[in-house]
């Protein structure tokens, strides 16, 4: 009896191992790592955990680009997708796996600045270039010649939202609720604060700064404190997961001030979970399907529709797509899958037409781009405004 | 801080504390009878939440029916877990069962990732429960009234079951000495199975309430509540059902007040719970309502 049970249990365990094993490495065909007939591009994304929805959006765009442009230098491009589980430590080891075991030529990712920064030293030491699609914290590329990105950075995004709060929402007093364990959130809150204080000329324009941790679910204490300060606007840079709950709980506590935030909000889950509470929430992001900027944008929009039906393409998908075609272009120019040569070509990127706009990288390997402001309206992300980079 | 703000904090604390209490009852009950810390309790809790979610979202059952079905299914899952992971080890050293519990916990989490997917899902919230009442400057969700009532109601029902029924008497007998109880004709397997069933059903009720209050569910949803409920159970005196409720309220209100009065320590909110655990273990190891160890010797 006991033996039988033990057998059954070990079988269950085995099956679950096989399952998780498969889902982690779907794109890898499992043949030897030095196969010269393919060029491998690593995709480092959170597929499970708190940021999984964001990672999934980027992967959507990357897979679409891979489908449209499957070869380079006469060789097949193979995507090696690894899951960093929304965890910083896991992100570093997943990146090591990509460069050491899979011998990838370049890496795309990760969603989230913290997760990207965790992989920073790995790609730098291995001399394999990485292109982040939506990681916006300046520290991702700072002092790391091997990290690039196809999106703008937070000092710009913070300024855009400060301007929006001051000019459009006529805010004089703002409260901030930030995710202290997330570099993206803390950075964006700081850049917003600096810009907003400068605009109002008032040192006390930020009436409250509340903190929370990644994965928290109860924010009523922080929000009750904020309510007592009676701000005009609440700036809540942070992941969609917690942000949707924050806004929901704020409305339940009777807080009426509008919520504004950053690019991470743009996932279907944000609206799903927030429902009517997130109506009117505004945030800055990278891209809108309502204003195709380049030829590549039109192609992306048309192909996206074919592939994913009537789903609205998100900025993360468009930027994931851009990261892929930018790397492919660099491989073509380098004429070899050698990571160092690819890096040198990436560094020269100028006026490259991507789906989310024209990409020019500055000396710190950051893209200079316009920001788009979107609002949640009628259960959808709607385009409000474009703010220039200069 | 104005009185209104303070009362709002208190309401928030009671609301969170009653949730911890609800999960802690199941924890402490299994411990009380088997002297086993069921580390998979948090994951059973997560499974219950997902069952309720699928009942409504996929099978479009009315919410009350779906909740009921989820509670029953979770009870069955708990019995299966006991039969698969704990019963074969019942005569093994205690540490083996503890390790098996941790293994079961990881198994459930990873199965959930495979089956339900890693992306968060929105838990459906019936309006009756989530609407907000305003009393003066205080805003209180209907749930804030519902959860403590459910918690206290279940507590009373459970105390009645344990102290006034035949099954409860058998449970207490097994808790005292299960070998002797078996000799005296108590069907130990049945009693333990029932304990796990009830414990898991309580976890499901907790999970559903949690889902209603924080309508976003992921496969790792049970980890933190599981730990917090464990701490609550220890604070109250693990094994004591009334103690678990008191511990839950102490922990919930304590956490909210920490964030409310010392906002700069918000980042240490979870650490607060663990520090409290250490202090309790150092100065009052049997918890607030715990039995005196001397009696057992």
């Amino acid at each position: 009896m006991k033996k039988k049970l033990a057998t059954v249990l070990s079988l269950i365990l085995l099956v679950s191992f096989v399952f998780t094993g498969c889902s982690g490495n779907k794109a890898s065909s499992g043949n030897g790592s030095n196969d010269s007939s393919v060029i491998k591009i690593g995709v480092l994304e959170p597929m499970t955990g708190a940021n999984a929805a964001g990672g999934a959006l980027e992967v959507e765009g990357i897979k679409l680009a891979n489908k449209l442009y499957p070869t380079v230098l006469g060789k097949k491009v193979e995507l090696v997708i690894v899951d960093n589980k929304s965890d910083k430590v896991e992100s570093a080891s997943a990146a090591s796996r990509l460069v050491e075991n899979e011998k990838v030529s370049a890496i795309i990712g990760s969603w989230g600045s913290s997760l990207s920064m965790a992989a920073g030293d790995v790609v730098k030491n291995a001399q394999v270039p990485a292109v982040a699609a939506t990681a916006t914290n300046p520290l991702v590329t700072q002092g790391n010649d091997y990290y690039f990105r196809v999106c703008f950075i937070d000092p710009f995004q913070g300024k855009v939202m400060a301007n929006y709060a001051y000019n459009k929402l006529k805010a004089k007093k703002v409260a901030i609720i930030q995710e202290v364990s997330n570099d993206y959130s803390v950075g964006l809150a700081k850049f917003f604060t600096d810009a907003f204080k400068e605009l109002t000329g008032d040192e006390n324009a930020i009436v409250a700064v509340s903190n929370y941790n990644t994965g928290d679910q109860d924010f009523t204490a922080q929000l009750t404190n904020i309510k007592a300060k009676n701000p005009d606007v609440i700036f809540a840079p942070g992941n969609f997961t917690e942000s949707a709950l924050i806004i929901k709980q704020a409305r339940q506590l009777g807080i009426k001030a509008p919520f504004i935030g950053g690019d991470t909000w743009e996932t279907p889950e944000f609206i799903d979970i927030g429902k009517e509470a997130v109506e009117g929430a505004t945030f800055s992001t990278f891209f809108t399907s309502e204003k195709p900027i380049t030829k590549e944008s039109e192609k992306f929009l048309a192909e996206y529709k074919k592939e994913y039906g009537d789903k609205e393409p998100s900025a993360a998908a468009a930027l994931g797509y851009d990261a892929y075609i930018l790397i492919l272009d660099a491989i073509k120019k380098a004429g070899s899958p050698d990571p160092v040569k690819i890096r040198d070509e990436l560094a020269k990127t100028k006026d490259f037409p991507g789906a989310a706009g024209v990409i020019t990288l500055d000396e710190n390997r950051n893209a200079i781009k316009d920001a788009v402001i979107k609002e949640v309206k009628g259960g959808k992300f709607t385009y409000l405004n474009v703010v220039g980079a200069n | 801080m104005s009185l209104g703000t303070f009362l709002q904090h208190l309401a928030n604390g009671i609301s969170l504390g009653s949730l911890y209490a609800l999960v802690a009852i199941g924890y402490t009950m299994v411990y009380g009878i088997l002297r086993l810390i069921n580390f998979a309790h948090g994951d059973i809790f997560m499974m219950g939440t997902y069952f309720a979610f699928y009942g409504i979202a996929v099978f479009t059952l009315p919410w009350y029916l779906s909740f009921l079905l989820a509670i029953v299914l979770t009870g069955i899952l708990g019995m299966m877990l006991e039969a698969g992971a704990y019963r074969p080890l019942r005569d093994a050293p205690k540490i083996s069962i503890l390790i098996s519990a941790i293994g079961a916990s990881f198994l459930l989490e990873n199965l959930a990732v495979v089956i339900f997917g890693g992306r968060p899902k929105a838990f459906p919230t019936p309006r009756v429960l989530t609407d907000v009442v305003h009393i003066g400057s205080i805003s209180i969700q209907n749930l804030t009234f519902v959860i403590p009532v459910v918690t206290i109601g279940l507590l009373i029902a459970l105390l009645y079951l344990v102290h006034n029924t035949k099954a409860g008497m058998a449970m207490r007998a097994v808790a005292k000495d299960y070998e002797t109880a078996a000799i005296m004709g108590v069907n130990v397997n049945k009693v333990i199975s029932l304990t796990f069933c009830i414990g898991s059903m309580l976890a499901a009720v907790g999970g559903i309430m949690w889902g209603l209050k924080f309508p976003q569910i992921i496969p790792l949803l049970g980890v933190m509540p599981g730990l917090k409920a464990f701490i609550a159970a220890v604070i109250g005196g693990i094994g004591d059902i009334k103690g678990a409720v008191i511990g839950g309220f102490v922990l919930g209100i304590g956490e909210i007040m920490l964030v409310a009065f010392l906002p700069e320590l918000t980042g240490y909110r979870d650490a607060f719970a663990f520090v409290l655990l250490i202090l309790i273990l150092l100065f009052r190891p049997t918890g607030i309502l715990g039995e005196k160890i001397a009696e057992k010797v």
Side-chain angles (χ1 to χ4, degrees):
Chain A
M1 174 65 196
K2 261 183 203 169
K3 247 186 201 155
K4 228 193 260 164
L5 245 164
T7 325
V8 170
L9 265 179
S10 47
L11 263 177
I12 295 176
L13 220 71
L14 202 73
V15 168
S16 63
F17 265 124
V18 171
F19 266 131
T20 41
C22 282
S23 62
N25 270 323
K26 222 171 260 166
S28 150
S29 57
N31 48 13
S33 53
N34 287 322
D35 189 347
S36 61
S37 66
V38 294
I39 291 178
K40 286 186 177 178
I41 295 181
V43 179
L44 175 70
E45 294 288 356
M47 305 299 288
T48 54
N51 304 335
L57 291 179
E58 278 188 20
V59 171
E60 236 173 39
I62 297 165
K63 279 191 174 158
L64 179 67
N66 181 245
K67 201 174 168 199
L68 296 181
Y69 304 98
T71 59
V72 65
L73 306 176
K75 289 175 185 172
K76 196 171 164 294
V77 180
E78 187 186 303
L79 293 177
V80 185
I81 303 177
V82 290
D83 177 11
N84 61 26
K85 300 180 183 165
S86 310
D87 181 271
K88 292 183 204 177
V89 177
E90 191 66 40
S91 193
S93 64
S96 307
R97 216 149 63 226
L98 284 176
V99 296
E100 278 161 23
N101 303 349
E102 299 286 347
K103 308 265 185 253
V104 296
S105 297
I107 293 173
I108 304 174
S110 161
W111 192 91
S113 296
S114 294
L115 296 175
S116 301
M117 280 154 67
D121 276 342
V122 175
V123 305
K124 190 172 158 188
N125 295 337
Q127 301 197 310
V128 174
V131 180
T134 60
T136 50
N137 192 294
L139 294 172
V140 172
T141 56
Q142 210 171 69
N144 187 344
D145 283 341
Y146 281 83
Y147 235 111
F148 299 82
R149 72 178 116 218
V150 291
C151 54
F152 53 64
I153 55 175
D154 288 334
F156 171 60
Q157 185 168 211
K159 208 173 185 176
V160 166
M161 289 323 283
N163 271 319
Y164 181 80
Y166 183 73
N167 294 326
K168 289 269 156 53
L169 300 175
K170 308 280 172 220
K172 297 276 177 293
K173 291 188 293 175
V174 173
I176 292 177
I177 178 161
Q178 62 179 2
E179 190 179 342
V180 276
S181 42
N182 180 347
D183 306 286
Y184 160 82
S185 185
V186 175
L188 193 49
K190 181 189 166 292
F191 299 120
F192 177 92
T193 305
D194 293 347
F196 193 73
K197 278 185 184 167
E198 202 182 307
L199 280 171
T200 52
D202 177 5
E203 263 306 299
N204 305 317
I206 307 295
V207 290
V209 180
S210 288
N211 298 329
Y212 64 91
N213 272 330
T214 316
D216 277 2
Q217 292 185 304
D218 184 277
F219 310 96
T220 48
Q222 290 97 323
L223 290 166
T224 303
N225 283 345
I226 285 180
K227 189 185 177 189
K229 296 274 167 60
N230 202 16
D232 303 325
V233 166
I234 300 170
F235 184 53
N239 294 333
F240 61 91
T241 28
E242 289 90 4
S243 300
L245 287 180
I246 289 173
I247 301 175
K248 216 170 169 141
Q249 289 173 21
R251 297 297 178 241
Q252 280 160 0
L253 286 171
I255 296 175
K256 301 215 166 57
F259 270 88
I260 59 176
D263 59 278
T264 52
W265 284 7
E266 200 184 357
T267 57
E269 277 81 357
F270 180 70
I271 294 176
D272 263 6
I273 290 157
K275 301 235 167 57
E276 62 268 34
V278 297
E279 280 290 307
T282 358
F283 58 92
S284 51
T285 184
F286 313 98
F287 161 85
T288 171
S289 58
E290 285 162 47
K291 271 188 69 177
I293 307 159
T294 61
K295 267 223 171 78
E296 199 63 45
S297 322
E298 284 163 25
K299 183 168 180 180
F300 167 77
L301 290 174
E303 293 294 333
Y304 188 93
K305 202 163 194 160
K306 256 190 245 163
E307 187 76 18
Y308 300 107
D310 273 338
K311 217 165 75 177
E312 179 72 6
S314 67
L319 287 164
Y321 180 97
D322 280 1
Y324 178 88
I325 60 173
L326 184 63
I327 288 174
L328 228 58
D329 182 68
I331 295 176
K332 218 181 287 165
K333 283 183 181 149
S336 124
D338 178 47
V340 179
K341 285 183 186 150
I342 297 172
R343 187 224 94 89
D344 293 339
E345 289 303 327
L346 278 173
K348 290 180 202 155
T349 303
K350 206 168 176 238
D351 299 329
F352 179 82
V358 180
I359 304 164
T360 298
L361 297 185
D362 64 11
E363 70 278 9
N364 294 319
R365 297 161 298 282
N366 302 321
I368 305 154
K369 279 191 171 169
D370 296 348
V372 171
I373 293 183
K374 286 189 187 176
E375 184 190 13
V376 181
K377 208 172 170 185
K380 268 182 159 163
F381 295 118
T382 54
Y383 163 74
L384 267 188
N385 201 359
V386 172
V387 182
N390 299 306
Chain B
M1 185 175 291
S2 70
L3 184 67
T5 309
F6 178 77
L7 288 176
Q8 180 73 61
H9 279 307
L10 197 64
N12 298 340
I14 291 171
S15 169
L16 185 65
S18 54
L19 264 180
Y20 288 157
L22 195 50
V23 189
I25 304 177
Y27 232 114
T28 218
M29 186 186 166
V30 168
Y31 181 85
I33 288 162
L34 300 180
R35 298 281 175 248
L36 156 69
I37 295 170
N38 179 16
F39 270 116
H41 193 73
D43 301 293
I44 295 266
F45 161 98
M46 172 271 296
M47 284 290 187
T49 322
Y50 269 99
F51 289 155
F53 166 80
Y54 279 103
I56 299 177
V58 179
F59 299 104
T60 57
L61 298 171
W63 59 270
Y64 42 90
L65 214 64
S66 170
F67 288 177
L68 214 65
L69 199 65
I71 292 167
V72 172
L73 282 176
T74 315
I76 296 172
L77 180 72
M79 278 156 54
M80 282 164 59
L81 179 78
E82 191 269 328
Y86 301 145
R87 190 173 298 174
L89 293 170
R90 198 171 296 153
D91 295 317
K94 283 271 178 250
I95 189 81
S96 307
I97 305 189
L98 191 72
I99 294 168
S100 179
I102 294 170
S105 156
F106 282 132
L107 179 69
L108 285 175
E109 280 164 22
N110 286 300
L111 273 180
V113 172
V114 175
I115 300 168
F116 308 133
R119 292 174 70 163
K121 292 187 163 60
F123 195 81
T125 44
R127 284 212 80 96
V128 227
L129 296 173
T130 52
D131 271 346
V132 179
V133 201
H134 299 275
I135 305 167
S137 66
I138 317 170
S139 310
I140 301 175
Q141 231 184 335
N142 286 353
L143 261 181
T144 307
F145 301 109
V146 173
I147 298 172
V149 169
V150 169
T151 305
I152 305 293
L154 286 173
L155 171 71
I156 293 168
L158 207 57
L159 286 176
Y160 179 83
L161 175 89
V162 172
H163 293 290
N164 299 65
T165 65
K166 215 171 163 189
M169 194 195 280
M171 281 178 183
R172 280 180 291 142
V174 170
K176 208 84 187 165
D177 183 343
Y178 93 82
E179 276 156 350
T180 316
I183 295 167
M184 304 301 274
V186 175
N187 187 338
V188 175
N189 280 343
K190 228 166 138 185
V191 172
I192 292 178
S193 220
L194 179 71
T195 310
F196 264 87
C197 182
I198 296 172
S200 302
M201 283 162 93
L202 288 168
V205 177
I208 289 165
M209 293 296 160
W210 195 280
L212 288 170
K213 188 160 166 57
F214 309 116
Q216 176 199 51
I217 55 175
I218 54 168
L220 295 183
L221 154 95
V223 178
M224 247 320 151
L227 281 174
K228 295 274 176 74
F230 169 66
I231 295 172
V234 174
I235 291 173
I238 190 154
D240 189 295
I241 295 172
K242 277 175 291 189
V245 173
I246 295 173
F249 279 106
V250 168
L251 187 62
I253 296 173
E255 252 185 45
I256 293 282
M257 291 305 167
L258 176 85
V259 180
F261 288 97
L262 301 164
E264 60 277 14
L265 292 183
T266 310
Y268 300 101
R269 181 176 180 163
D270 292 338
F272 164 77
F274 293 104
V275 169
L276 203 61
L277 173 69
I278 293 168
L279 289 178
I280 281 279
L281 288 176
L282 281 178
F283 296 106
R284 204 181 156 81
T286 51
I288 297 171
L289 292 188
E291 60 213 75
K292 287 201 184 67
I293 295 174
E295 263 177 28
K296 291 224 82 168
V297 180

